[in-house]
Amino acid sequence: MEFSRRNFLKTCAITAAMMATGCSNQTQTAQVDSSKTNSAPKQNDVDQWVKSVCRYCGTGCGVLIGVKDGKVTVVKGDPDNEGNKGLLCVKGYYLPQVIYHNERVTKPLIRKNGKLEESTWDEAMELITSKFKESIEKNGPDSVAFYGSGQQLAEEGYVANKLFKGAIGTNNIDGNPRLCMASAVGGFTTTFGADEPMGCLDDFEHADVFFITGSNIAEAHPVLFARLTDKKKKDPDTKIIIADPRRHRSHEIADISLQFIAGTDMALFHAMAYVIIEEGMADEKFMAKHTSFSNGKEAITFAEYKEFLKGFSPERAAEITGLTADQIREVARIFGEKGKNTMSMWTMGINQRVAGVWANNLLHNLHLITGKICKPGSTSFSLTGQPSACGSVRETGALSHLLPGHRVIANEKHRKEIAELWGVPADRIKGQVGLHTMEMFKACGDGRIKCLYVMCTNPAHSLPNVSAYQEGFEKVFLVVAEAFHPTATTQYADVVLPAAFWCEKEGVYGNTDRRTQHLAKAIEPAGESKPDLDILLDFAHRLGYADMFPFKTPEDVWNEYLKCTTGTHMELAAYPALKEAHGIQWPVKDHKGTKGATRRYVAPDDPYVKEGIDFYSAKDHKAVIFARPYKGPAEPVDKEYPYYLTTGRVLEHWHTMTMTGKCPTIMKAVPKQYVELNPKDATELGIIEGDVVRLISRRGKVEIPAKVGRPGEPMPGLVFALWFEPDPLVNIVTIDAVDAASKEPEFKICAVRIEKV
Ligand SMILES: Nc1nc2c(c(=O)[nH]1)N[C@H]1C(S)=C(S)[C@@H](COP(=O)(O)OP(=O)(O)OC[C@H]3O[C@@H](n4cnc5c(=O)[nH]c(N)nc54)[C@H](O)[C@@H]3O)O[C@H]1N2
Ligand SMILES: Nc1nc2c(c(=O)[nH]1)N[C@H]1C(S)=C(S)[C@@H](COP(=O)(O)OP(=O)(O)OC[C@H]3O[C@@H](n4cnc5c(=O)[nH]c(N)nc54)[C@H](O)[C@@H]3O)O[C@H]1N2
Ligand code: SF4
Ligand SMILES: [Mo]
């Protein structure tokens, strides 16, 4: 299949049409282009299909991996998977091109005389064991740390967490979901008392109105965009509202596009609530039964909340956001219309903000005020970025403030329960929250952290204001478990541990809608590479904790982890059921069956609810409607830095392009990153498409080619840069200010000056 950007969107439309005409069993396959790969097979014939899940985005598309003579020849969509119904985007289709690339790291590497040299597993593991042991003995357990990923498997997350918190005795374990989903977690836990969405992908079929903000679903969750297109086609009355400071691909199917000044959306959401209440669209019965009100410090009344909203009339919000009062009234009316189902979706435009948690709260508010929640098609649905940020990090508790089963470090009872399950003394798990991501990398620079184990993530590329953390990468004893080399991070590594890739290992992902899915192993690991789980278990044994880690298989790990979820409201499915099923949504009462819960907090779907709706995790079973004060960006524009910079994604590339950059088809489609300018700004600056421009912030500068005009068109005063290339590295410019509650950095907004080079 010859591929270009334009014909991908066409493919989306075609596949959507196929679904609409009942051809959902149709799947597409992509030939392997072996020009840049080591030993990829030349034909796409298959003697075995292996059921798995795409390793890229949070959608978690089910895939079937075609294997012949021990090699992956092809990947196609799994038609029996409820999430993607057989569809895949290009990243999924072209995974076979990535597996066999000659930059796979297939032997352990140790830095000797400044250079990484091949070694044996034994030498590499002995070295890292002695370094970690020495540091723990000399400087205490908090001198070592682990930095993981929403792309790791659940078993890997569970074992890393148990090793660091339960065996070594440090809470210094965090991961890239801190850069991504932390604010969504903060939103769910403050509003509903527990993490993760109540809705599901099936809500796409039932919604009449979609409110999408801070999410470029067309590029970041393309298969969901295909479902959206399909829904609109089947039911042309469906209303799609897209609110974003930048016009992007998703706007192509929008009925209403709102472009507002970056960082001002809290005013928009409050003003929508104002109109909904003023015009009698609120569901007061629902509110009285299922909600309470808070100003973030104390409980308030509905009357006080309404009084608070008076500061956010559409006219006032129009001044703040740059929208018109009429536009705000119009979307509020569409959102709130009685008898219609509304589904909200958002991603990083909301989370990667210093007001991230609060903006999440305000989106939930809109659903709680209207009672448009916990019904098919009515839900506030945070889209998860990485495939298993939910399953492998949020659920296993592999962040510095969490424990498995949605427990928290700060709760003594939770610590006791987990210490008991792990068979360690109660005081082994410390009550003090560990270092969150940005603090952890700072601590590598100032000497608090001496040894760091990085797994399945590339922080030397993906951290904001990354130059400020370079010293840390250089100083710390850095272990990097990676499938490819070189990467921005392996270049600083003292030891590189070769990780088996996606289809070379078995395990479990937890995708965006509480969907737990099993990935079967399809082929043997490349060279001497090993599954991350095996490496972690070897490390634990060498550190002297063999008794705590007797596991032989991923299933053994799962069986222990399951016990950490027993009796919680996130009971997970049993391993044999997961192997059989094409995804099972938790909660799964008593871990029994393959059915799972389509929707949460509502009977009969949710086994913990007797009748109607019950927000059982919230205090007094009432979800909280928050009167959060308005908060803009950390770094407002000024005379010296007069433009806002936002950064984000393009369909073809995945983050730091260590994988998609190895795919010739994708590189042909999008060979280089660029910065989008509004045509008005471009004219004023004398910049035309293709010119190289310099983006200068208080932290550094970067030179990058300009793109002017649609489909990507930021508001005047805003520029949008892709950040997938390691050089030039856009994260030199971005800001590391974090949300006070979630500690998630504000990747989405900083102030820059623009010069033509
Ligand atoms: N192709 C592809 N898909 C991916 C990924 C990938 O790397 N490539 N990564 C995955 C991951 S981990 C993630 S987290 C997701 C991210 O998915 P998305 O968040 O959908 O993608 P982004 O491009 O990062 O940002 C989305 C939008 O946020 C908007 N935005 C900027 N400032 C504001 C603001 O103040 N308010 C609002 N409301 N919006 C604002 C930007 O204009 C941008 O269009 O994608 C996932 N899917
Ligand atoms: N400017 C800017 N920066 C951002 C963002 C933004 O919007 N703008 N978004 C942030 C967000 S939301 C996210 S999620 C992060 C993502 O940032 P990262 O996690 O740093 O980016 P990835 O490229 O996904 O890194 C995954 C790494 O794991 C390796 N890998 C692949 N498979 C395996 C495996 O099985 N085992 C091991 N050990 N390694 C493997 C890959 O080769 C790759 O190097 O970036 C953040 N950074
Ligand atoms: S939509 Fe996401 S999960 Fe599905 S094939 Fe594309 S990258 Fe993979
Ligand atoms: Mo992410």
Side-chain angles (χ1 to χ4, degrees):
M1 179 175 102
E2 192 50 37
F3 173 72
S4 71
R5 300 222 67 217
R6 213 176 313 145
N7 80 22
F8 175 72
L9 284 166
K10 235 198 266 163
T11 310
C12 265
I14 294 165
T15 42
M18 281 182 349
M19 287 164 69
T21 52
C23 303
S24 62
N25 279 356
Q26 294 273 358
T27 50
Q28 300 194 356
T29 55
Q31 293 273 349
V32 175
D33 176 344
S34 55
S35 55
K36 285 254 174 69
T37 55
N38 268 346
S39 52
K42 299 228 164 18
Q43 304 169 35
N44 104 25
D45 40 1
V46 167
D47 46 35
Q48 191 198 354
W49 290 104
V50 180
K51 180 172 74 72
S52 184
V53 182
C54 173
R55 61 99 46 240
Y56 291 116
C57 86
T59 309
C61 293
V63 300
L64 297 170
I65 304 175
V67 180
K68 174 143 180 100
D69 301 330
K71 296 269 181 191
V72 172
T73 50
V74 69
V75 166
K76 66 177 183 178
D78 173 0
D80 296 323
N81 189 292
E82 277 306 308
N84 63 315
K85 300 180 191 286
L87 296 182
L88 292 183
C89 82
V90 279
K91 293 188 295 304
Y93 285 135
Y94 287 108
L95 266 164
Q97 292 187 347
V98 178
I99 305 166
Y100 298 102
H101 196 275
N102 55 21
E103 283 181 11
R104 279 296 301 276
V105 45
T106 54
K107 275 181 186 250
L109 308 173
I110 294 179
R111 190 169 299 278
K112 289 179 181 161
N113 303 319
K115 276 180 77 180
L116 285 169
E117 289 177 14
E118 287 186 355
S119 78
T120 62
W121 270 107
D122 200 47
E123 194 188 348
M125 294 309 291
E126 276 304 305
L127 176 64
I128 73 169
T129 306
S130 67
K131 285 283 188 184
F132 272 69
K133 262 191 176 163
E134 187 191 319
S135 186
I136 293 163
E137 274 159 24
K138 262 207 208 143
N139 310 296
D142 286 338
S143 68
V144 301
F146 182 90
Y147 184 63
S149 169
Q151 299 163 58
Q152 70 203 12
L153 296 164
E155 296 88 334
E156 296 161 3
Y158 176 75
V159 162
N161 203 23
K162 184 178 180 187
L163 175 60
F164 279 75
K165 289 188 185 133
I168 295 172
T170 177
N171 293 333
N172 288 339
I173 160 164
D174 218 57
N176 61 8
R178 183 72 70 182
L179 309 177
C180 179
M181 300 312 296
S183 298
V185 176
F188 281 120
T189 49
T190 46
T191 299
F192 300 101
D195 188 20
E196 297 196 45
M198 64 291 302
C200 60
L201 299 181
D202 180 58
D203 285 315
F204 275 78
E205 311 307 322
H206 306 281
D208 305 300
V209 177
F210 291 88
F211 181 67
I212 301 172
T213 181
S215 163
N216 181 3
I217 185 171
E219 311 229 27
H221 295 88
V223 163
L224 298 185
F225 185 66
R227 285 187 71 161
L228 191 64
T229 322
D230 179 46
K231 163 76 174 150
K232 175 90 183 158
K233 209 173 231 156
K234 277 193 294 203
D235 182 0
D237 289 337
T238 307
K239 287 269 181 295
I240 299 174
I241 304 164
I242 303 206
D244 197 299
R246 163 183 173 241
R247 203 198 123 88
H248 46 66
R249 284 270 178 198
S250 316
H251 288 253
E252 282 168 26
I253 59 162
D255 296 282
I256 296 181
S257 298
L258 295 183
Q259 273 189 277
F260 53 84
I261 299 166
T264 64
D265 41 16
M266 282 187 75
L268 166 66
F269 305 148
H270 273 322
M272 286 170 69
Y274 174 107
V275 176
I276 286 166
I277 294 169
E278 185 191 52
E279 300 195 359
M281 291 178 286
D283 185 340
E284 298 202 15
K285 246 169 119 185
F286 180 92
M287 278 194 278
K289 196 162 173 204
H290 298 295
T291 70
S292 65
F293 297 85
S294 166
N295 62 11
K297 294 191 188 91
E298 58 195 2
I300 56 170
T301 61
F302 182 34
E304 285 167 323
Y305 173 63
K306 281 196 283 192
E307 194 56 34
F308 166 85
L309 286 180
K310 283 190 180 156
F312 296 94
S313 66
E315 288 69 24
R316 175 80 189 98
E319 284 168 24
I320 301 172
T321 57
L323 297 163
T324 66
D326 284 347
Q327 279 178 309
I328 297 172
R329 284 187 197 280
E330 186 190 13
V331 289
R333 284 174 193 143
I334 297 172
F335 188 109
E337 187 181 340
K338 292 214 164 169
K340 299 270 183 191
N341 286 309
T342 302
M343 178 172 189
S344 296
M345 283 184 275
W346 66 95
T347 325
M348 291 307 115
I350 297 295
N351 294 348
Q352 291 174 336
R353 304 268 302 284
V354 290
V357 174
W358 291 2
N360 270 269
N361 290 142
L362 302 202
L363 285 163
H364 296 311
N365 279 359
L366 294 172
H367 290 270
L368 292 170
I369 292 166
T370 53
K372 291 178 193 269
I373 195 161
C374 297
K375 283 191 269 195
S378 274
T379 196
S380 65
F381 193 68
S382 135
L383 290 172
T384 301
Q386 296 177 94
S388 198
C390 289
S392 304
V393 181
R394 292 154 72 174
E395 290 160 25
T396 66
L399 289 176
S400 60
H401 64 296
L402 295 177
L403 286 168
H406 285 170
R407 292 180 179 86
V408 293
I409 285 287
N411 183 320
E412 192 182 352
K413 187 169 155 273
H414 289 179
R415 294 200 301 276
K416 267 202 180 137
E417 285 167 0
I418 292 298
E420 208 162 288
L421 280 159
W422 285 348
V424 296
D427 61 359
R428 177 70 55 80
I429 305 175
K430 298 219 179 88
Q432 176 75 29
V433 166
L435 300 178
H436 64 82
T437 296
M438 299 317 298
E439 265 304 302
M440 186 182 276
F441 285 97
K442 195 168 152 207
C444 293
D446 66 26
R448 279 174 291 160
I449 302 266
K450 312 268 187 232
C451 298
L452 176 68
Y453 189 125
V454 170
M455 185 177 91
C456 205
T457 174
N458 189 7
H461 183 141
S462 57
L463 294 181
N465 186 17
V466 65
S467 316
Y469 301 89
Q470 187 174 340
E471 192 191 352
F473 284 110
E474 280 163 2
K475 259 171 114 170
V476 80
F477 177 77
L478 183 64
V479 179
V480 183
E482 243 300 343
F484 298 94
H485 171 71
T487 72
T489 310
T490 62
Q491 289 185 335
Y492 292 104
D494 293 288
V495 179
V496 178
L497 302 173
F501 192 56
W502 167 66
C503 57
E504 299 167 346
K505 57 184 182 179
E506 178 189 4
V508 170
Y509 273 167
N511 300 106
T512 192
D513 62 341
R514 293 173 286 105
R515 196 179 298 268
T516 317
Q517 312 205 78
H518 178 258
L519 291 78
K521 174 177 164 182
I523 56 169
E524 288 305 315
E528 291 178 26
S529 67
K530 289 186 190 178
D532 285 302
L533 181 64
D534 296 10
I535 306 174
L536 284 169
L537 292 174
D538 183 15
F539 186 36
H541 285 221
R542 287 175 197 257
L543 284 169
Y545 303 114
D547 288 357
M548 284 178 75
F549 297 90
F551 317 112
K552 297 270 181 283
T553 62
E555 183 166 356
D556 294 343
V557 176
W558 188 262
N559 288 339
E560 183 181 290
Y561 170 42
L562 263 198
K563 292 186 198 147
C564 301
T565 76
T566 306
T568 71
H569 290 133
M570 60 150 276
E571 283 176 310
L572 297 167
Y575 212 76
L578 288 169
K579 276 170 107 164
E580 202 54 42
H582 299 252
I584 303 176
Q585 288 176 278
W586 65 261
V588 182
K589 196 158 189 338
D590 303 325
H591 317 295
K592 287 204 178 107
T594 54
K595 197 55 193 74
T598 314
R599 289 176 190 82
R600 199 177 167 202
Y601 302 134
V602 58
D605 289 17
D606 186 328
Y608 307 115
V609 180
K610 285 204 188 79
E611 82 176 308
I613 290 171
D614 180 1
F615 295 119
Y616 48 71
S617 301
K619 191 166 165 246
D620 303 328
H621 296 234
K622 291 189 165 189
V624 186
I625 294 172
F626 278 105
R628 296 288 196 195
Y630 176 79
K631 190 173 187 180
E635 189 178 53
V637 285
D638 56 20
K639 267 202 186 130
E640 213 183 333
Y641 300 97
Y643 290 89
Y644 280 125
L645 166 70
T646 188
T647 59
R649 291 155 173 85
V650 68
L651 193 154
E652 294 79 357
H653 280 292
W654 180 258
H655 299 155
T656 71
M657 75 183 289
T658 59
M659 294 172 278
T660 49
K662 308 214 165 27
C663 175
T665 317
I666 283 177
M667 286 308 286
K668 211 162 132 191
V670 184
K672 286 202 76 60
Q673 62 190 10
Y674 48 80
V675 57
E676 293 172 359
L677 283 88
N678 182 281
K680 184 173 157 280
D681 291 334
T683 309
E684 275 171 26
L685 289 159
I687 290 164
I688 56 165
E689 175 123 356
D691 280 351
V692 175
V693 298
R694 193 174 293 126
L695 304 177
I696 307 160
S697 76
R698 288 185 175 82
R699 295 153 294 281
K701 55 187 173 213
V702 72
E703 289 176 8
I704 176 168
K707 197 164 180 305
V708 182
R710 294 185 171 193
E713 192 173 296
M715 283 280 282
L718 174 73
V719 297
F720 167 85
L722 296 171
W723 59 278
F724 61 78
E725 284 186 76
D727 185 20
L729 186 52
V730 169
N731 273 327
I732 287 174
V733 177
T734 50
I735 193 167
D736 51 358
V738 297
D739 179 293
S742 71
K743 312 296 180 195
E744 176 160 345
E746 189 155 68
F747 283 109
K748 281 293 174 272
I749 313 174
C750 72
V752 293
R753 182 165 75 236
I754 300 171
E755 290 171 0
K756 188 172 158 177
V757 174

